Amino acid sequence: MSLRLKAVPALQGVVWVRQGLRAFGQRPLGFTSLIAAFFFATMVVSLVLPFIGSVISLMALPLLSLGAMAGTRAVLQGGQVHPGLLIEPLRQGGPRRATLLKLCALYGGLTVLVLALTQWLSGDVLGELQKVYGEGAPPAGNGGEPAP
């Protein structure tokens, strides 16, 4: 299956954004539940499978985008938004599912690569930054005393 790009006018992007906002305005609870279900599922996977779960969660991010698009389509067609839309793209069989799984694997792999490269280039600066934010930032200036 090859990817065919469809040329559309640049203003079509504005139309898509309006449609998405209108759909969200019609079913805000549905879209919120869609996003909450995704984050809950990724949190559970990350807790159950310590390192690999985080990678799987990263790999699943394209499913969130596709779920939001499927939700918008459902609202525009008069339907409901529900968490099951997150796995709707995976229900398609054959080459489409295989292509989607490749996209997810590529996305997750490249994200891990970028994070590793960032860690390598920055030394332990990111680790130190995480410690500072985890412990609370130290008071600014004059040992925490108010400025005169």
Side-chain angles (χ1 to χ4, degrees), residues 46-103:
S46 294
L47 290 173
V48 171
L49 305 168
F51 175 74
I52 209 75
S54 297
V55 175
I56 291 170
S57 296
L58 286 171
M59 291 170 62
L61 276 172
L63 293 176
L64 178 61
S65 299
L66 289 171
M69 287 184 238
T72 302
R73 184 184 65 219
V75 170
L76 293 176
Q77 293 175 349
Q80 295 293 321
V81 180
H82 53 86
L85 292 174
L86 290 170
I87 59 170
E88 181 181 299
L90 292 174
R91 290 183 183 152
Q92 299 174 355
R96 283 191 150 193
R97 182 185 313 164
T99 302
L100 176 59
L101 292 174
K102 287 177 192 174
L103 171 69

Side-chain angles (χ1 to χ4, degrees), residues 8-144:
V8 296
L11 288 177
Q12 184 65 37
V14 175
V15 172
W16 291 332
V17 170
R18 282 186 190 152
Q19 287 176 335
L21 291 174
R22 188 173 350 125
F24 181 80
Q26 291 175 356
R27 303 277 194 280
L29 193 56
F31 280 100
T32 303
S33 70
L34 184 84
I35 293 168
F38 176 82
F39 285 118
F40 179 75
T42 57
M43 182 180 63
V44 168
V45 168
S46 294
L47 290 173
V48 171
L49 305 168
F51 175 74
I52 209 75
S54 297
V55 175
I56 291 170
S57 296
L58 286 171
M59 291 170 62
L61 276 172
L63 293 176
L64 178 61
S65 299
L66 289 171
M69 287 184 238
T72 302
R73 184 184 65 219
V75 170
L76 293 176
Q77 293 175 349
Q80 295 293 321
V81 180
H82 53 86
L85 292 174
L86 290 170
I87 59 170
E88 181 181 299
L90 292 174
R91 290 183 183 152
Q92 299 174 355
R96 283 191 150 193
R97 182 185 313 164
T99 302
L100 176 59
L101 292 174
K102 287 177 192 174
L103 171 69
C104 289
L106 184 65
Y107 185 88
L110 288 175
T111 302
V112 168
L113 180 67
V114 166
L115 291 173
L117 185 62
T118 302
Q119 180 68 25
W120 178 68
L121 289 174
S122 70
D124 199 32
V125 172
L126 291 177
E128 293 298 320
L129 189 61
Q130 287 177 337
K131 284 181 189 175
V132 168
Y133 280 114
E135 297 168 358
N142 296 341

